[in-house]
Amino acid sequence: NAGVTQTPKFQVLKTGQSMTLQCAQDMNHNSMYWYRQDPGMGLRLIYYSASEGTTDKGEVPNGYNVSRLNKREFSLRLESAAPSQTSVYFCASSSLRIPLTNEQFFGPGTRLTVL
Amino acid sequence: KNEVEQSPQNLTAQEGEFITINCSYSVGISALHWLQQHPGGGIVSLFMLSSGKKKHGRLIATINIQEKHSSLHITASHPRDSAVYICAVTSFGNEKLTFGTGTRLTIIP
């Protein structure tokens, strides 16, 4: 099992460009998450998807869109990148089979720089 | 005030020392998580606990629900333990995690 995979690992964009970060999991998890990690701050939730076909905003959704393509895949799109979106992005998934505990499994991260 | 506070923010110790990292939280929780992030690497879950104490190798995690406090201990620390350790909580009725800002641990040989 690969667990949670993310592509690309690194990306440099110019302000105004668009891109999509891809995430896939092979653990048959229902829930998937997108986080950003910035220096001096904890991981912050951008969007999450509790099940296939549903998505909800997290703490910092502005400037992002998501698609839960199927149970395995959850993509994050930046329509018009801004320097403030320079960050490391992590995708995660969880099964919630154990109620109330929500152990999450993380991908390796995407380091994005917006010039 | 953040819902999850960690201390210290940075910790440097000699190889072999006993390490303690603290986490305090201000909300009612259903579970507390300790995560490890190596430099340039991904994030892995170390422990998930809702009461008492858990041990895995040289790592021990404890939680005091009444005091809203958890500690992560590392015995006989080793340079490969150098990483950022992150505390996170799951609140009742909310599947989302709330994260602390992390403790950067450096173990010097």
Side-chain angles (χ1 to χ4, degrees):
Chain A
N1 286 352
V4 181
T5 57
Q6 289 182 236
T7 55
K9 289 191 175 178
F10 301 93
Q11 184 71 50
V12 179
L13 293 177
K14 293 181 180 177
T15 297
Q17 287 185 317
S18 62
M19 78 161 296
T20 300
L21 282 64
Q22 306 286 354
C23 174
Q25 51 90 11
D26 62 2
M27 296 174 281
N28 201 35
H29 286 169
N30 286 321
S31 297
M32 297 186 74
Y33 311 82
W34 276 106
Y35 296 97
R36 61 178 289 172
Q37 185 179 42
D38 301 293
M41 306 186 76
L43 285 152
R44 292 183 292 168
L45 182 65
I46 304 171
Y47 271 94
Y48 72 103
S49 171
S51 62
E52 185 179 351
T54 68
T55 61
D56 286 287
K57 294 179 180 179
E59 183 183 352
V60 287
N62 290 345
Y64 306 95
N65 286 300
V66 290
S67 295
R68 184 74 183 266
L69 304 168
N70 48 55
K71 192 171 187 179
R72 289 188 64 249
E73 299 173 289
F74 189 37
S75 63
L76 178 72
R77 182 159 179 84
L78 286 70
E79 290 291 351
S80 179
S84 60
Q85 294 178 304
T86 293
S87 188
V88 181
Y89 291 85
F90 288 96
C91 177
S93 70
S94 67
S95 71
L96 290 181
R97 274 193 218 125
I98 302 174
L100 305 180
T101 55
N102 193 16
E103 181 179 13
Q104 294 188 11
F105 297 82
F106 288 81
T110 295
R111 188 173 295 273
L112 175 67
T113 301
V114 183
L115 303 175
Chain B
K1 189 177 187 294
N2 291 336
E3 290 184 354
V4 181
E5 299 271 0
Q6 288 186 238
S7 63
Q9 286 187 306
N10 294 284
L11 178 57
T12 300
Q14 292 290 129
E15 182 174 357
E17 286 189 37
F18 181 81
I19 303 299
T20 296
I21 299 170
N22 297 300
C23 176
S24 297
Y25 53 91
S26 58
V27 297
I29 66 167
S30 56
L32 183 139
H33 308 250
W34 282 104
L35 308 160
Q36 181 190 56
Q37 184 176 24
H38 279 286
I43 300 168
V44 296
S45 177
L46 297 174
F47 294 103
M48 184 172 57
L49 64 166
S50 54
S51 64
K53 177 179 174 178
K54 286 190 175 180
K55 185 175 190 289
H56 181 69
R58 295 180 293 105
L59 273 61
I60 304 165
T62 64
I63 188 168
N64 184 318
I65 296 294
Q66 287 73 31
E67 295 186 2
K68 293 187 168 61
H69 181 268
S70 175
S71 293
L72 177 68
H73 305 286
I74 304 175
T75 61
S77 59
H78 189 276
R80 66 175 174 265
D81 297 325
S82 297
V84 175
Y85 292 85
I86 302 168
C87 174
V89 300
T90 311
S91 304
F92 286 111
N94 184 349
E95 67 171 87
K96 298 188 285 291
L97 292 178
T98 302
F99 296 85
T101 56
T103 294
R104 184 176 299 277
L105 174 65
T106 303
I107 304 297
I108 300 170

